[in-house]
Amino acid sequence: MADPSSYRPKPGQIPDSPGVYKFRDEHRRVIYVGKAKSLRQRLANYFQPLTSLHPRTATMVTTAASVEWTVVSTEVEALQLEYSWIKEYDPRFNVKYRDDKSYPYLAVTMNEEFPRVQVLRGHKKKGVRYFGPYAHAWAIRETVDLMLRVFPVRTCSAGVFRNAASAGRPCLLGYIGKCSAPCVGRVTPQEHRELAEEFSDFMAGRTGTYIRRLEKQMMLAAEDMEYEKAARLRDDIEALRKAMEKSAVVLADATDADLIALAEDELEAAVQIFHVRGGRVRGQRGWVTDKVEAVDTAGLVEHAIQQLYGEESGDTVPKEVLVPALPEDTGAVTAWLAGRRGSNVSLRIPQRGDKKDLMETVARNAQQALVLHKTKRASDLTTRSRALEEIAEALDLDSAPLRIECFDISHLQGEDVVASMVVFEDGLPRKSEYRRFQIKGFEGQDDVRSMHEVIGRRFKRYLAEKEKTGEWDPEGVVEDPEESGRPKRFAYPPQLVVVDGGQPQVAAARRALDELGISDIAVCGLAKRLEEVWLPGDDDPVVLPRSSEGLYLLQRVRDTAHDFAIRYQRSKRAKRIRTSPLDAVPGLGDTRKQALIKHFGSVKRLRQATIEQICEVPGMGRKTAEAVVVALAEAAPAAPAVNTATGEIMEDDGGGTA
């Protein structure tokens, strides 16, 4: 625990201007990022007596070992820089809403020649129009199924589209009228694009135009006694109305707005967002976060706005953002939103009328989300704390191991030997810091030797990063503080290393650390047979009760490392199986490999070809042809394969892949 007075800047050193500041721990890791109108006034608040600080703030300043700042011109620049640094450094003491990348969106790929309607998740792509997010993918598919009657836009994948085009026959949707079948030329690319644009306009809320147009066409068809056409148009109108009913009208004035509401207690906060477009609720999403910093409702609103719109631009940022409390610097946040939208954005608290009523509905959703979250995780924080305490007590550690790293070895009969490293912080997996290793020091099966190599390589990297950041510099000077604060691959040491195995693996891990002069990291092993915990140098294992939360956490860490290693080993094996003798030819790329196989038909026939015949393939020079002949000769099988049941010699017609 650090004394904040040991790194407190002198008052005259801190500028009285807008800026962004970073607190770093003893390993130069950024643990908190904040912004301020006046850096001098804000930073002074952190260096008060610990008894007068909020408990979370006190924990942060005692974990930190230094503070630095960057001066900017305006509060808007400070907001932008704060958001960028939070995304880059992922500070542990900043409020971070759980990522919503798993929410499904209805997407129209306007960046393709024949736009496609589909369900997409993940990061948004340029040139694709998104609608949502939706709570469930099935809700999108029901809406699309209704709308394809009127806007028969392509929904098939690229492979299905190509197959239909080459066969000259559309898929089933083309036959039943739910696709305009551009694959076989029933409509031109321009006509299909117009359909996609009409589909997008309807989803964007401009529904009245299309309903009135179809009604007019239906009446004209009835007057002309084209009753089948009129009936079809009637069914189309009904389908569109059903699609509209799936997003109820909530605001009568065709409002485009996002409504953000919060529910919070001392430990956690839930945020809910309703996306209203054209007066209808087009999407909904929500997050829950642990309140790891002392922050009020206005601060939570500001963090939510940053999370929502930090990577958005254009119309995806609405004209209105309605919130339960205004951020501390409303003008800067509003200006930042306007910059992302490209036009004015209204950020306000609804005071009366339909918008206030809808905000109350969003707030009720937030409250229900928080209650549900607490029901599911009623004892999670307590359980994780108890698990870490039990591990510390069982292994005789000075404190709870807040960062645990686990290593596992995987191979298949001594081939493709790999290792995995998984990281758990505060009892939760930190997937961004998982790592994979290939065993390079030797060949064959030796789990103990493999464990020694992997632990040695991991902590050599840690020592290298430690030296780079200046922790070993006798002058204590860091040459590049900006660079040193970024999360490195192996920059942070664990309090506990867990290995999958018993005494031999534990001894190998401890020996690797001792050889590097590292004595302040604990090591243990978890053997699968009886779930025994082994410590270095002990002849008897530590046996934790089967009902122990500490044992459960160690099992989860070990099993995660085991699964991660197996997936990597399988991927390497599959890649090796797919290799070809042509891979050994230097400078021979995929295009020329495919040209060779296409020209000769198989690797076997290519092996029988002469240098002159290989030179006949477009793009093949004599030097490369000679290299191909040498590579195939070296990889040639010693004897033909024989079917042991019949005695038949197996011909190699396919011979491998390029």
Side-chain angles (χ1 to χ4, degrees), residues 115-184:
R116 175 188 176 193
V117 174
Q118 60 182 317
V119 178
L120 285 182
R121 302 173 187 262
H123 294 284
K124 294 183 178 179
K125 302 174 184 177
K126 188 176 181 181
V128 179
R129 294 195 65 178
Y130 291 87
F131 304 96
Y134 289 78
H136 304 284
W138 55 260
I140 304 177
R141 295 189 178 98
E142 284 186 357
T143 300
V144 171
D145 188 61
L146 290 167
M147 293 182 59
L148 288 180
R149 285 185 56 94
V150 186
F151 308 110
V153 185
R154 167 198 165 207
T155 57
C156 62
S157 66
V160 172
F161 188 89
R162 285 195 300 269
N163 291 340
S166 61
R169 296 190 305 273
C171 64
L172 176 62
L173 292 178
Y175 282 111
I176 65 176
K178 289 193 174 182
C179 179
S180 55
C183 53
V184 294

Coordinates of all heavy atoms in Angstrom, one line a residue, residues 115-184:
P115 N -27.3 -5.5 -52.1 CA -27.4 -5.4 -50.7 C -28.2 -6.6 -50.1 O -29.1 -7.1 -50.7 CB -28.2 -4.1 -50.5 CG -27.9 -3.3 -51.7 CD -27.8 -4.3 -52.8
R116 N -27.8 -7.0 -48.9 CA -28.4 -8.2 -48.2 C -28.9 -7.8 -46.8 O -28.3 -6.9 -46.1 CB -27.3 -9.2 -48.0 CG -27.7 -10.4 -47.2 CD -26.5 -11.3 -46.9 NE -26.9 -12.5 -46.1 CZ -26.0 -13.2 -45.5 NH1 -24.7 -13.0 -45.6 NH2 -26.4 -14.2 -44.7
V117 N -30.0 -8.3 -46.5 CA -30.6 -8.1 -45.1 C -30.2 -9.3 -44.3 O -30.4 -10.4 -44.7 CB -32.2 -8.0 -45.2 CG1 -32.8 -7.9 -43.8 CG2 -32.6 -6.8 -46.0
Q118 N -29.6 -9.0 -43.1 CA -29.2 -10.1 -42.2 C -29.1 -9.6 -40.8 O -29.2 -8.4 -40.5 CB -27.8 -10.6 -42.7 CG -26.7 -9.5 -42.7 CD -25.4 -10.1 -43.2 OE1 -25.0 -11.2 -42.8 NE2 -24.7 -9.3 -44.0
V119 N -28.9 -10.5 -39.9 CA -28.7 -10.2 -38.5 C -27.2 -10.2 -38.2 O -26.5 -11.1 -38.6 CB -29.3 -11.3 -37.6 CG1 -29.0 -11.0 -36.1 CG2 -30.8 -11.4 -37.8
L120 N -26.7 -9.1 -37.7 CA -25.3 -8.9 -37.4 C -25.0 -8.6 -35.9 O -25.8 -7.9 -35.3 CB -24.7 -7.8 -38.3 CG -24.5 -8.2 -39.8 CD1 -23.8 -7.0 -40.5 CD2 -23.6 -9.4 -39.9
R121 N -24.0 -9.0 -35.4 CA -23.5 -8.6 -34.1 C -22.0 -8.1 -34.3 O -21.4 -8.2 -35.3 CB -23.5 -9.8 -33.2 CG -24.8 -10.5 -33.0 CD -24.7 -11.8 -32.1 NE -25.9 -12.5 -32.1 CZ -26.8 -12.5 -31.1 NH1 -26.5 -11.7 -30.0 NH2 -27.9 -13.2 -31.1
G122 N -21.5 -7.5 -33.2 CA -20.1 -7.1 -33.2 C -20.0 -5.7 -33.7 O -21.0 -4.9 -33.7
H123 N -18.8 -5.3 -34.0 CA -18.5 -3.9 -34.4 C -19.2 -3.6 -35.7 O -19.3 -4.4 -36.6 CB -16.9 -3.8 -34.6 CG -16.2 -3.9 -33.3 ND1 -16.2 -2.9 -32.3 CD2 -15.5 -4.9 -32.8 CE1 -15.5 -3.3 -31.3 NE2 -15.0 -4.5 -31.5
K124 N -19.6 -2.3 -35.8 CA -20.3 -1.9 -37.0 C -19.3 -1.6 -38.2 O -18.2 -1.2 -37.9 CB -21.1 -0.6 -36.7 CG -22.2 -0.9 -35.7 CD -23.0 0.4 -35.4 CE -24.2 0.1 -34.5 NZ -25.0 1.3 -34.2
K125 N -19.8 -2.0 -39.4 CA -18.9 -1.8 -40.5 C -19.4 -0.7 -41.4 O -20.5 -0.3 -41.4 CB -19.0 -3.1 -41.4 CG -18.6 -4.4 -40.6 CD -18.9 -5.6 -41.4 CE -18.5 -6.9 -40.7 NZ -18.8 -8.1 -41.4
K126 N -18.4 -0.1 -42.1 CA -18.7 1.1 -42.9 C -19.6 0.7 -44.1 O -19.3 -0.4 -44.7 CB -17.4 1.7 -43.4 CG -17.6 3.0 -44.1 CD -16.2 3.6 -44.5 CE -16.4 5.0 -45.2 NZ -15.1 5.6 -45.6
G127 N -20.6 1.5 -44.4 CA -21.4 1.2 -45.6 C -22.6 0.3 -45.3 O -23.3 -0.1 -46.2
V128 N -22.7 -0.1 -44.0 CA -23.9 -1.0 -43.6 C -24.8 -0.2 -42.8 O -24.4 0.5 -41.9 CB -23.3 -2.2 -42.9 CG1 -24.5 -3.1 -42.4 CG2 -22.3 -3.0 -43.7
R129 N -26.1 -0.3 -43.1 CA -27.1 0.4 -42.3 C -27.6 -0.5 -41.2 O -28.0 -1.7 -41.5 CB -28.3 0.9 -43.2 CG -27.9 2.0 -44.2 CD -29.1 2.7 -44.8 NE -29.8 3.4 -43.7 CZ -30.9 4.1 -44.0 NH1 -31.4 4.2 -45.3 NH2 -31.5 4.8 -43.1
Y130 N -27.6 0.0 -40.0 CA -28.0 -0.9 -38.8 C -29.3 -0.3 -38.2 O -29.5 0.9 -38.1 CB -26.9 -0.8 -37.8 CG -25.6 -1.5 -38.2 CD1 -24.6 -0.9 -38.9 CD2 -25.4 -2.9 -37.9 CE1 -23.5 -1.5 -39.3 CE2 -24.3 -3.5 -38.2 CZ -23.3 -2.9 -38.9 OH -22.2 -3.5 -39.3
F131 N -30.1 -1.3 -37.7 CA -31.4 -0.9 -37.0 C -31.4 -1.8 -35.8 O -31.2 -3.0 -35.8 CB -32.6 -1.2 -37.9 CG -32.5 -0.4 -39.2 CD1 -32.1 -1.1 -40.4 CD2 -32.9 0.9 -39.3 CE1 -32.0 -0.4 -41.6 CE2 -32.8 1.6 -40.5 CZ -32.4 0.9 -41.7
G132 N -31.7 -1.2 -34.7 CA -31.7 -1.9 -33.4 C -30.9 -1.1 -32.4 O -30.8 0.1 -32.4
P133 N -30.3 -1.8 -31.4 CA -30.2 -3.3 -31.2 C -31.5 -3.9 -30.7 O -32.4 -3.2 -30.2 CB -29.1 -3.4 -30.2 CG -29.3 -2.2 -29.3 CD -29.6 -1.1 -30.3
Y134 N -31.7 -5.2 -31.0 CA -32.9 -5.9 -30.5 C -32.4 -6.8 -29.3 O -31.3 -7.2 -29.2 CB -33.4 -6.8 -31.6 CG -34.1 -6.0 -32.7 CD1 -33.3 -5.3 -33.7 CD2 -35.5 -5.9 -32.8 CE1 -34.0 -4.6 -34.7 CE2 -36.1 -5.2 -33.8 CZ -35.3 -4.6 -34.8 OH -35.9 -3.9 -35.8
A135 N -33.4 -7.1 -28.5 CA -33.1 -8.0 -27.4 C -32.9 -9.4 -27.8 O -32.1 -10.1 -27.2 CB -34.3 -8.0 -26.4
H136 N -33.5 -9.9 -28.9 CA -33.4 -11.3 -29.3 C -33.3 -11.3 -30.9 O -34.0 -10.5 -31.6 CB -34.6 -12.1 -28.9 CG -34.8 -12.1 -27.4 ND1 -34.0 -12.8 -26.5 CD2 -35.7 -11.4 -26.6 CE1 -34.4 -12.6 -25.3 NE2 -35.4 -11.8 -25.3
A137 N -32.6 -12.2 -31.4 CA -32.4 -12.3 -32.8 C -33.7 -12.8 -33.5 O -34.1 -12.4 -34.6 CB -31.3 -13.3 -33.2
W138 N -34.5 -13.6 -32.7 CA -35.8 -14.1 -33.3 C -36.7 -12.9 -33.6 O -37.6 -13.0 -34.5 CB -36.4 -15.2 -32.5 CG -36.7 -14.8 -31.0 CD1 -36.0 -15.1 -30.0 CD2 -37.8 -14.0 -30.5 NE1 -36.5 -14.6 -28.8 CE2 -37.6 -13.9 -29.1 CE3 -38.9 -13.4 -31.1 CZ2 -38.5 -13.2 -28.3 CZ3 -39.8 -12.7 -30.3 CH2 -39.6 -12.6 -28.9
A139 N -36.7 -11.9 -32.8 CA -37.5 -10.7 -33.0 C -37.2 -10.1 -34.4 O -38.1 -9.6 -35.1 CB -37.4 -9.7 -31.9
I140 N -35.9 -10.0 -34.7 CA -35.5 -9.5 -36.0 C -36.1 -10.3 -37.2 O -36.6 -9.8 -38.1 CB -34.0 -9.4 -36.1 CG1 -33.4 -8.5 -35.0 CG2 -33.6 -8.8 -37.4 CD1 -31.9 -8.5 -35.0
R141 N -35.9 -11.6 -37.0 CA -36.3 -12.5 -38.1 C -37.8 -12.5 -38.3 O -38.2 -12.6 -39.5 CB -35.8 -13.9 -37.8 CG -34.3 -14.0 -37.7 CD -33.8 -15.5 -37.6 NE -32.3 -15.5 -37.7 CZ -31.5 -15.6 -36.6 NH1 -32.1 -15.7 -35.4 NH2 -30.2 -15.6 -36.7
E142 N -38.6 -12.4 -37.3 CA -40.0 -12.3 -37.5 C -40.4 -11.0 -38.2 O -41.2 -11.0 -39.1 CB -40.7 -12.2 -36.1 CG -40.8 -13.6 -35.4 CD -41.6 -13.6 -34.2 OE1 -42.1 -12.5 -33.8 OE2 -41.8 -14.6 -33.5
T143 N -39.7 -9.9 -37.9 CA -40.0 -8.6 -38.6 C -39.6 -8.7 -40.1 O -40.3 -8.3 -41.0 CB -39.2 -7.5 -37.9 OG1 -39.6 -7.4 -36.6 CG2 -39.4 -6.2 -38.6
V144 N -38.4 -9.3 -40.3 CA -37.9 -9.4 -41.7 C -38.8 -10.3 -42.5 O -39.1 -10.0 -43.7 CB -36.5 -9.9 -41.7 CG1 -36.0 -10.3 -43.1 CG2 -35.5 -8.9 -41.1
D145 N -39.3 -11.4 -41.9 CA -40.1 -12.3 -42.7 C -41.4 -11.6 -43.1 O -41.9 -11.9 -44.2 CB -40.5 -13.5 -41.8 CG -41.2 -14.6 -42.5 OD1 -40.6 -15.1 -43.5 OD2 -42.4 -14.9 -42.2
L146 N -42.0 -10.7 -42.3 CA -43.2 -10.0 -42.7 C -42.9 -9.0 -43.8 O -43.7 -8.8 -44.7 CB -43.7 -9.3 -41.5 CG -44.4 -10.2 -40.4 CD1 -44.6 -9.4 -39.1 CD2 -45.7 -10.8 -40.9
M147 N -41.7 -8.3 -43.7 CA -41.4 -7.3 -44.6 C -41.0 -7.7 -46.0 O -41.1 -7.0 -47.0 CB -40.4 -6.3 -44.0 CG -40.9 -5.6 -42.8 SD -39.7 -4.4 -42.2 CE -39.4 -3.4 -43.6
L148 N -40.4 -9.0 -46.1 CA -40.0 -9.5 -47.4 C -41.1 -9.7 -48.4 O -40.9 -9.7 -49.6 CB -39.2 -10.8 -47.2 CG -37.9 -10.7 -46.5 CD1 -37.2 -12.1 -46.4 CD2 -36.9 -9.8 -47.3
R149 N -42.3 -9.7 -47.9 CA -43.5 -9.8 -48.8 C -43.5 -8.5 -49.7 O -43.9 -8.6 -50.9 CB -44.8 -9.9 -48.1 CG -45.1 -11.2 -47.5 CD -46.5 -11.2 -46.8 NE -47.5 -10.8 -47.8 CZ -48.2 -11.6 -48.6 NH1 -48.0 -12.9 -48.4 NH2 -49.1 -11.2 -49.4
V150 N -43.2 -7.4 -49.1 CA -43.3 -6.1 -49.8 C -42.0 -5.7 -50.3 O -41.9 -5.1 -51.4 CB -43.9 -5.0 -48.8 CG1 -44.1 -3.7 -49.5 CG2 -45.1 -5.5 -48.1
F151 N -40.9 -5.9 -49.6 CA -39.6 -5.5 -50.0 C -38.7 -6.8 -50.2 O -38.0 -7.1 -49.2 CB -38.9 -4.6 -49.0 CG -39.8 -3.4 -48.7 CD1 -40.4 -3.3 -47.4 CD2 -40.0 -2.4 -49.6 CE1 -41.1 -2.2 -47.0 CE2 -40.8 -1.3 -49.2 CZ -41.4 -1.2 -48.0
P152 N -38.9 -7.5 -51.3 CA -38.2 -8.8 -51.4 C -36.7 -8.7 -51.7 O -36.2 -8.9 -52.8 CB -38.9 -9.5 -52.6 CG -39.4 -8.3 -53.4 CD -39.7 -7.2 -52.5
V153 N -36.0 -8.3 -50.6 CA -34.5 -8.0 -50.7 C -33.8 -9.3 -50.4 O -34.3 -10.2 -49.7 CB -34.1 -7.0 -49.7 CG1 -32.6 -6.6 -49.8 CG2 -34.9 -5.7 -49.8
R154 N -32.6 -9.5 -51.0 CA -31.8 -10.7 -50.8 C -31.4 -10.9 -49.4 O -31.0 -9.9 -48.7 CB -30.5 -10.5 -51.7 CG -29.5 -11.5 -51.4 CD -28.1 -11.1 -51.9 NE -27.1 -11.8 -51.3 CZ -25.8 -11.4 -51.1 NH1 -25.5 -10.2 -51.5 NH2 -24.9 -12.2 -50.5
T155 N -31.5 -12.1 -48.9 CA -31.1 -12.4 -47.5 C -30.1 -13.6 -47.5 O -29.6 -13.9 -46.4 CB -32.4 -12.9 -46.7 OG1 -33.0 -14.0 -47.3 CG2 -33.3 -11.7 -46.5
C156 N -29.8 -14.1 -48.6 CA -28.9 -15.3 -48.7 C -27.4 -14.9 -48.5 O -27.0 -13.8 -48.7 CB -29.1 -16.1 -50.0 SG -28.7 -15.1 -51.4
S157 N -26.6 -15.9 -48.1 CA -25.2 -15.7 -48.0 C -24.5 -15.6 -49.4 O -25.1 -15.9 -50.4 CB -24.5 -16.8 -47.2 OG -24.6 -18.0 -48.0
A158 N -23.2 -15.2 -49.4 CA -22.5 -15.0 -50.6 C -22.4 -16.4 -51.4 O -22.5 -16.4 -52.6 CB -21.1 -14.4 -50.4
G159 N -22.2 -17.5 -50.6 CA -22.0 -18.8 -51.2 C -23.3 -19.2 -51.9 O -23.3 -19.7 -53.0
V160 N -24.4 -19.1 -51.2 CA -25.7 -19.5 -51.8 C -26.0 -18.6 -53.0 O -26.5 -19.1 -54.0 CB -26.8 -19.3 -50.7 CG1 -28.2 -19.5 -51.3 CG2 -26.6 -20.3 -49.6
F161 N -25.7 -17.3 -52.9 CA -25.9 -16.4 -54.1 C -25.1 -16.9 -55.3 O -25.7 -17.0 -56.4 CB -25.5 -15.0 -53.7 CG -25.9 -13.9 -54.7 CD1 -27.2 -13.3 -54.7 CD2 -25.0 -13.6 -55.7 CE1 -27.5 -12.4 -55.6 CE2 -25.4 -12.6 -56.6 CZ -26.6 -12.0 -56.6
R162 N -23.8 -17.2 -55.1 CA -23.0 -17.7 -56.2 C -23.5 -19.0 -56.8 O -23.5 -19.2 -58.0 CB -21.6 -17.8 -55.8 CG -20.8 -16.5 -55.5 CD -19.3 -16.7 -55.4 NE -19.0 -17.6 -54.3 CZ -18.7 -17.2 -53.1 NH1 -18.7 -15.9 -52.8 NH2 -18.4 -18.0 -52.1
N163 N -23.9 -19.9 -55.9 CA -24.4 -21.2 -56.4 C -25.7 -21.0 -57.3 O -25.8 -21.7 -58.3 CB -24.6 -22.1 -55.2 CG -23.3 -22.6 -54.6 OD1 -22.3 -22.5 -55.1 ND2 -23.5 -23.0 -53.3
A164 N -26.6 -20.2 -56.8 CA -27.8 -20.0 -57.5 C -27.5 -19.3 -58.9 O -28.1 -19.7 -59.9 CB -28.7 -19.1 -56.7
A165 N -26.6 -18.4 -58.9 CA -26.2 -17.7 -60.1 C -25.6 -18.6 -61.1 O -25.9 -18.6 -62.3 CB -25.3 -16.5 -59.8
S166 N -24.7 -19.5 -60.6 CA -24.1 -20.5 -61.6 C -25.1 -21.5 -62.1 O -25.0 -22.0 -63.2 CB -22.9 -21.1 -60.9 OG -23.3 -21.9 -59.7
A167 N -26.0 -21.9 -61.2 CA -27.0 -22.9 -61.6 C -28.1 -22.3 -62.4 O -28.8 -23.1 -63.1 CB -27.6 -23.6 -60.4
G168 N -28.3 -21.0 -62.4 CA -29.4 -20.4 -63.1 C -30.8 -20.6 -62.5 O -31.8 -20.3 -63.2
R169 N -30.8 -21.0 -61.2 CA -32.1 -21.2 -60.5 C -32.0 -20.5 -59.2 O -31.0 -20.7 -58.5 CB -32.3 -22.7 -60.3 CG -32.5 -23.5 -61.6 CD -33.0 -24.9 -61.2 NE -32.2 -25.6 -60.3 CZ -31.1 -26.3 -60.6 NH1 -30.7 -26.4 -61.9 NH2 -30.4 -26.9 -59.7
P170 N -33.1 -19.7 -58.8 CA -33.1 -19.1 -57.5 C -33.3 -20.1 -56.4 O -33.7 -21.2 -56.7 CB -34.2 -18.1 -57.6 CG -35.1 -18.7 -58.6 CD -34.3 -19.5 -59.6
C171 N -33.1 -19.6 -55.2 CA -33.4 -20.5 -54.0 C -34.9 -20.5 -53.8 O -35.7 -19.8 -54.5 CB -32.6 -20.0 -52.8 SG -33.1 -18.3 -52.3
L172 N -35.3 -21.1 -52.7 CA -36.7 -21.3 -52.4 C -37.4 -19.9 -52.2 O -38.5 -19.7 -52.6 CB -36.9 -22.1 -51.1 CG -38.3 -22.3 -50.6 CD1 -39.2 -23.0 -51.6 CD2 -38.3 -23.0 -49.2
L173 N -36.7 -19.0 -51.5 CA -37.3 -17.7 -51.3 C -37.6 -17.0 -52.6 O -38.6 -16.2 -52.7 CB -36.4 -16.8 -50.5 CG -36.2 -17.2 -49.0 CD1 -35.2 -16.3 -48.3 CD2 -37.5 -17.2 -48.3
G174 N -36.8 -17.2 -53.6 CA -37.1 -16.6 -55.0 C -38.4 -17.2 -55.6 O -39.1 -16.5 -56.2
Y175 N -38.7 -18.5 -55.3 CA -39.8 -19.1 -55.9 C -41.1 -18.7 -55.1 O -42.2 -18.7 -55.7 CB -39.7 -20.7 -55.8 CG -38.8 -21.2 -56.9 CD1 -37.6 -21.8 -56.6 CD2 -39.2 -21.2 -58.2 CE1 -36.7 -22.3 -57.6 CE2 -38.4 -21.7 -59.2 CZ -37.1 -22.2 -58.9 OH -36.3 -22.7 -59.9
I176 N -41.0 -18.4 -53.8 CA -42.2 -18.1 -53.1 C -42.4 -16.6 -53.0 O -43.3 -16.1 -52.2 CB -42.2 -18.7 -51.7 CG1 -41.1 -18.1 -50.8 CG2 -42.1 -20.2 -51.8 CD1 -41.0 -18.6 -49.4
G177 N -41.6 -15.8 -53.7 CA -41.9 -14.4 -53.8 C -41.3 -13.5 -52.6 O -41.6 -12.4 -52.5
K178 N -40.4 -14.1 -51.8 CA -39.8 -13.4 -50.7 C -38.4 -13.0 -51.0 O -37.6 -12.5 -50.2 CB -39.8 -14.2 -49.4 CG -41.3 -14.3 -48.9 CD -41.3 -14.8 -47.4 CE -42.7 -14.7 -46.9 NZ -42.7 -15.2 -45.4
C179 N -38.0 -13.1 -52.3 CA -36.7 -12.6 -52.8 C -36.9 -12.2 -54.2 O -37.6 -13.0 -55.0 CB -35.6 -13.6 -52.6 SG -34.0 -13.0 -53.3
S180 N -36.4 -11.1 -54.7 CA -36.5 -10.6 -56.0 C -35.6 -11.4 -57.0 O -35.6 -11.1 -58.2 CB -36.3 -9.1 -56.1 OG -35.0 -8.8 -55.6
A181 N -34.8 -12.3 -56.4 CA -33.9 -13.1 -57.2 C -33.0 -12.4 -58.2 O -32.9 -12.6 -59.4 CB -34.7 -14.2 -58.0
P182 N -32.2 -11.4 -57.6 CA -31.2 -10.8 -58.5 C -30.1 -11.7 -59.0 O -29.4 -11.4 -59.9 CB -30.6 -9.7 -57.6 CG -30.8 -10.2 -56.2 CD -32.1 -11.0 -56.2
C183 N -29.9 -12.9 -58.3 CA -28.9 -13.8 -58.7 C -29.1 -14.4 -60.1 O -28.2 -14.8 -60.8 CB -28.9 -15.0 -57.7 SG -30.5 -15.8 -57.4
V184 N -30.4 -14.4 -60.5 CA -30.7 -15.0 -61.9 C -31.2 -13.9 -62.8 O -31.7 -14.1 -63.9 CB -31.7 -16.1 -61.8 CG1 -31.1 -17.3 -61.1 CG2 -33.0 -15.7 -61.1

